C-alpha cells in the first residue's frame, strides 16, 4: 500500500504472500478499500495488508504492479471500478 504526496512516492506498508493466496500464472482478483483512515488490500478474497493513514481526506486512486524478483512478469488490469457507499 503506497501513496504519493508532493511528487514523492512512499510505501506505507509492504508485505508478502506467505500463504500462497496470489496465484502465479493465472488471474487474481484484487480489492482495495479506503474507509476513513483504514486502507486494506485483498487478493482473491483474503486480506493481505491493512494500515492506518490519515494524510488524505480524499484524492485519486491508481493501480501499480511491481516485483522484486529478477524474472520478468506481465500484469494486466481490467474491470477497474470505484464504489462509494
Amino acid at each position: 500500500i503506497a501513496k504519493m504526496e508532493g511528487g514523492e512516492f512512499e510505501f506505507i506498508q509492504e508485505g508478502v504472500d506467505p500463504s500462497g493466496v496470489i496465484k502465479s500464472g493465472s488471474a487474481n482478483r484484487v480489492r482495495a478499500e479506503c474507509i476513513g483512515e483504514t486502507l486494506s488490500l485483498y487478493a482473491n478474497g483474503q486480506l493481505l495488508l491493512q494500515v492506518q493513514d490519515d494524510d488524505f481526506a480524499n484524492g485519486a486512486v491508481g493501480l501499480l504492479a511491481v516485483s522484486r524478483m529478477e524474472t520478468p512478469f506481465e500484469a494486466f488490469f481490467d474491470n477497474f471500478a470505484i464504489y462509494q457507499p
Side-chain angles (χ1 to χ4, degrees):
I1 298 176
K3 65 182 173 183
M4 184 175 284
E5 185 174 12
E8 295 292 321
F9 183 80
E10 170 190 355
F11 280 100
I12 302 169
Q13 180 74 39
E14 293 186 60
V16 296
D17 175 27
S19 61
V21 171
I22 299 171
K23 303 170 196 165
S24 179
S26 65
N28 291 278
R29 181 172 294 272
V30 178
R31 182 175 92 220
E33 294 179 350
C34 304
I35 301 173
E37 298 174 358
T38 303
L39 309 173
S40 306
L41 180 65
Y42 296 82
N44 301 316
Q46 295 203 12
L47 180 65
L48 296 179
L49 292 173
Q50 191 169 66
V51 66
Q52 301 289 314
D53 188 88
D54 62 358
D55 283 350
F56 300 108
N58 55 47
V61 298
L63 300 173
L64 173 70
V66 297
S67 174
R68 296 206 172 142
M69 299 175 66
E70 292 184 21
T71 56
F73 78 100
E74 292 182 322
F76 300 94
F77 299 100
D78 67 2
N79 300 323
F80 181 74
I82 298 173
Y83 300 97
Q84 183 175 346

